[in-house]
Amino acid sequence: MPLGSVYFSDEHEAFRNEVRRFVLRHVTPHARAWETAGRIPREVFVRMGELGFLGITAPESYGGSGADLFFAVAFLEELPRSTMGGFCAAVSVQQFMATPHILRAGSEELKRRYVVPSIEGRRVGALAVTEPDTGSDVASIRTSAVREGDAWVINGAKTFITNGAEGDFYTVAVRTGEAGAAGISLVVVDAGTPGVRVASRLAKLGWHSSDTAEIVFENASVPADRLIGEENSGFYQLMQSFALERLCAAAIAVGSADVVLDETLRHLAERHAFGRPLGRFQALRHRLADLAAELEAARQLAYHTAWLLGRGHAATRESAMAKLVCTELGKRVADECLQFFGGYGYMEEYPIARFYRDARGATITAGTSEIMREIIARVLIDDWTPPLEEEARPAAQAEPTEPVAVLVEATEARRGPRTVEALMTSLPERLHSDRSRGVRAVFHCTVRGADAPQWTVRLNDGSCHVGRGHEGRPDCRIEMNEETFLGLQTGELNPQAALLSGKIKVSDLTLLMRFVRAFSGSG
Ligand SMILES: Cc1cc2nc3c(=O)[nH]c(=O)nc-3n(C[C@H](O)[C@H](O)[C@H](O)COP(=O)(O)OP(=O)(O)OC[C@H]3O[C@@H](n4cnc5c(N)ncnc54)[C@H](O)[C@@H]3O)c2cc1C
């Protein structure tokens, strides 16, 4: 851990120490037993709940601590002191993947029934998205939920589900509508519901202490009120949590690499060869120095991501970069350090063997490294536009032209006759009143870079009023740049892609979807 940090206060560090003490005293000594058993005892969740470790950022009204994201980062970095990737997975899924959707979009009843006992450690949750036929391509899931009276009837299968066999409930992604992202919903399903079956506990390369299961749904009927948020908003809800999930994976990878480096330093000091401690050999020293330097850089990227997220930024690019860099480095640190242990590194007796195989899982879960690269590439390459001065620069053989005129022409050519002002003021006539029936909401729109950047749109049960500036209290704040706004309004830009690449900042996704639907050309 570096000396001092702009991100962590004394309170953060005190909390970090408390977590570290708990893990070292009550978890690490049991690593071998829990890895063999393939489960984390329930008492551990309860104890963590009592200590306030399972609702770090959750609101106090549901038993959480309402703390900032850096408390969560400190917590996640300390979990690997357990020397079990499986423990890190089970606990982080419980707190940061199974329940955030319920907290954000679920009904009060769902929050009381699932979030409160999860924070107390009395109930353990899982997030069930991946299916035997689809993982990275979330929009293609097939597990269906069909509304029958007051119930959803679910059929399908989920696989690789952490806490799947031991958990009490699952936040399940189901298809309730059309093919693709727009037809997915999230539903909470209790384990043990008739028709819900743990088909198998999967044997894995690593993460042995966490259970990973395949779950089958056969006409499983769950009450209709178990739907989280609005029907068919599931993909967008999942997307809202992607950045947090990636940050979790990054912080755990950094914490794991810290432990591996510590263990390696101890070994290099204690083990002798050719009459000297291993730590005196330059070949090893320099490799360790490289790894430590890279780890420091990766750590700071993770912290920067947390800082952005804490300020309400989408941090799509940064969270994908942090996940990619930290987990890939975690894999390399474990691999290279194992080598420094010689034959002992290959023995189960030394935790380095466990870190080595556990690190392998981190570049696959919570979005693979290839998907992270794809997201970064999309933001970096596909969204690249030449700086305006460059656009204005005349081509080599072209007639010399007045630069300002070229600039105006280039901008006009790109925009066509469309302007934010024209599109905003035309909203009332473009409203599909049938699709906006029942929607009563005030939207504060901020279009960065536009001549008039602030607008208020009021939807009132089939009618629409647009005004300049921000008026009244908003139900939803939408912020994007001018180009994104024009692209969305003209249909040249897909809202899903824009959200995924972090081009739109929005305070309420469900309301944004209603907004888009009210004005879009089709369905
Ligand atoms: C230990 C463990 C625990 C897990 N826990 C959970 C859980 O709790 N809940 C849950 O829902 N899921 C969980 N998963 C599933 C995990 O999220 C998926 O394995 C992961 O998203 C990849 O999906 P997939 O396995 O179907 O691989 P695929 O999507 O089939 O990908 C196969 C390969 O193709 C690459 N690939 C796919 N698409 C592209 C593309 N567009 N460009 C380039 N390369 C691409 C992938 O990167 C990968 O290398 C867990 C997995 C593991 C191993």
Side-chain angles (χ1 to χ4, degrees):
M1 180 50 53
L3 263 184
S5 164
V6 289
Y7 301 111
F8 294 93
S9 65
D10 290 348
E11 287 75 28
H12 291 111
E13 292 307 336
F15 179 69
R16 178 193 290 282
N17 287 333
E18 199 187 332
V19 177
R20 183 178 300 190
R21 265 197 305 276
F22 171 80
V23 172
L24 289 177
R25 263 189 219 158
H26 301 288
V27 180
T28 320
H30 306 290
R32 200 147 335 141
W34 297 356
E35 286 278 294
T36 307
R39 62 186 295 269
I40 311 293
R42 272 312 174 87
E43 309 84 78
V44 181
F45 283 98
V46 175
R47 188 72 191 114
M48 292 181 92
E50 287 166 356
L51 291 168
F53 290 171
L54 296 181
I56 297 170
T57 56
E60 290 175 36
S61 49
Y62 299 108
S65 305
D68 68 53
L69 206 46
F70 281 99
F71 282 92
V73 170
F75 174 77
L76 290 159
E77 281 183 306
E78 293 306 316
L79 291 181
R81 304 256 163 211
S82 65
T83 71
M84 289 177 282
F87 175 74
C88 301
V91 172
S92 58
V93 163
Q94 158 83 350
Q95 178 164 197
F96 299 109
M97 288 163 214
T99 48
H101 306 291
I102 308 175
L103 253 181
R104 195 182 301 117
S107 65
E108 197 54 31
E109 160 67 12
L110 289 184
K111 289 176 191 164
R112 298 276 161 217
R113 184 186 280 264
Y114 296 103
V115 177
V116 171
S118 297
I119 289 173
E120 291 170 353
R122 290 187 292 108
R123 299 191 88 180
V124 172
L127 175 67
V129 178
T130 307
E131 301 186 350
D133 291 336
T134 189
S136 305
D137 185 7
V138 174
S140 294
I141 61 145
R142 290 198 307 203
T143 296
S144 66
V146 176
R147 186 71 186 258
E148 288 184 12
D150 277 347
W152 291 103
V153 178
I154 306 178
N155 281 288
K158 297 288 175 183
T159 196
F160 306 149
I161 306 308
T162 303
N163 297 342
E166 299 279 333
D168 302 301
F169 67 90
Y170 316 116
T171 295
V172 189
V174 288
R175 183 155 302 286
T176 45
E178 63 192 66
I184 294 173
S185 299
L186 295 183
V187 178
V188 198
V189 179
D190 286 314
T193 299
V196 178
R197 180 166 61 83
V198 175
S200 66
R201 287 176 86 115
L202 303 165
K204 310 184 289 293
L205 174 67
W207 293 19
H208 290 168
S209 50
S210 86
D211 82 89
T212 309
E214 178 167 357
I215 301 160
V216 170
F217 301 85
E218 290 159 326
N219 290 321
S221 177
V222 300
D225 63 8
R226 300 294 154 84
L227 182 73
I228 303 174
E230 198 139 299
E231 192 176 332
N232 296 328
S233 68
F235 186 81
Y236 302 96
Q237 292 184 45
L238 289 171
M239 269 183 2
Q240 278 196 305
S241 286
F242 282 164
L244 177 62
E245 289 177 18
R246 289 168 195 156
L247 175 65
C248 288
I252 290 172
V254 164
S256 302
D258 271 336
V259 180
V260 169
L261 283 183
D262 281 353
E263 292 289 318
T264 307
L265 288 171
R266 186 202 311 275
H267 188 73
L268 293 190
E270 290 172 356
R271 178 81 174 166
H272 284 64
F274 301 96
R276 290 191 281 169
L278 290 178
R280 305 303 306 163
F281 293 108
Q282 196 179 49
L284 306 189
R285 293 165 68 87
H286 283 193
R287 273 157 70 193
L288 208 65
D290 277 344
L291 292 176
E294 287 180 63
L295 178 58
E296 196 48 46
R299 184 199 315 277
Q300 296 303 327
L301 178 56
Y303 290 171
H304 177 58
T305 303
W307 183 82
L308 288 174
L309 285 175
R311 270 155 188 74
H313 297 283
T316 307
R317 171 179 171 272
E318 291 76 10
S319 59
M321 286 178 169
K323 168 40 169 83
L324 174 67
V325 168
C326 295
T327 59
E328 287 290 342
L329 178 65
K331 210 166 68 175
R332 203 147 47 77
V333 167
D335 184 16
E336 293 211 22
C337 288
L338 188 148
Q339 188 71 15
F340 299 161
F341 280 76
Y344 290 104
Y346 206 63
M347 299 297 131
E348 281 296 321
E349 190 190 340
Y350 281 72
I352 186 77
R354 198 151 60 230
F355 275 106
Y356 174 74
R357 58 172 183 253
D358 286 350
R360 197 63 192 82
T363 59
I364 298 170
T365 53
T368 65
S369 289
E370 290 74 20
I371 295 299
M372 295 308 106
R373 292 189 185 101
E374 191 49 33
I375 293 165
I376 297 164
R378 208 179 291 167
V379 176
L380 198 70
I381 302 166
D382 300 347
D383 295 350
W384 184 82
T385 48
L388 284 178
E389 318 84 72
E390 208 172 296
E391 273 183 48
R393 204 177 297 148
Q397 281 94 20
E399 289 288 320
T401 326
E402 174 60 42
V404 175
V406 173
L407 174 67
V408 171
E409 269 171 34
T411 311
E412 279 307 309
R414 198 175 57 199
R415 283 184 188 160
R418 302 162 305 212
T419 62
V420 168
E421 171 120 23
L423 284 166
M424 271 297 183
T425 49
S426 68
L427 280 178
E429 67 209 51
R430 291 192 290 121
L431 179 75
H432 296 275
S433 47
D434 51 329
R435 289 194 215 140
S436 55
R437 206 69 75 218
V439 185
R440 290 185 184 83
V442 177
F443 299 84
H444 277 184
C445 305
T446 303
V447 187
R448 293 187 305 275
D451 288 342
Q454 294 193 334
W455 297 84
T456 299
V457 180
R458 288 170 198 276
L459 289 184
N460 191 8
D461 197 17
S463 72
C464 169
H465 175 266
V466 177
R468 279 169 179 274
H470 286 168
E471 301 158 2
R473 251 186 77 182
D475 300 295
C476 178
R477 284 182 297 278
I478 305 171
E479 190 180 330
M480 65 193 93
N481 68 22
E482 186 182 20
E483 195 175 350
T484 304
F485 179 81
L486 293 174
L488 286 175
Q489 289 295 313
T490 54
E492 285 162 15
L493 187 64
N494 177 317
Q496 192 182 313
L499 276 163
L500 260 176
S501 54
K503 288 179 171 175
I504 306 176
K505 198 171 147 188
V506 61
S507 64
D508 187 322
L509 258 184
T510 308
L511 280 177
L512 174 72
M513 285 171 61
R514 289 181 178 170
F515 184 92
V516 170
R517 193 172 135 72
F519 298 105
S520 67
S522 66

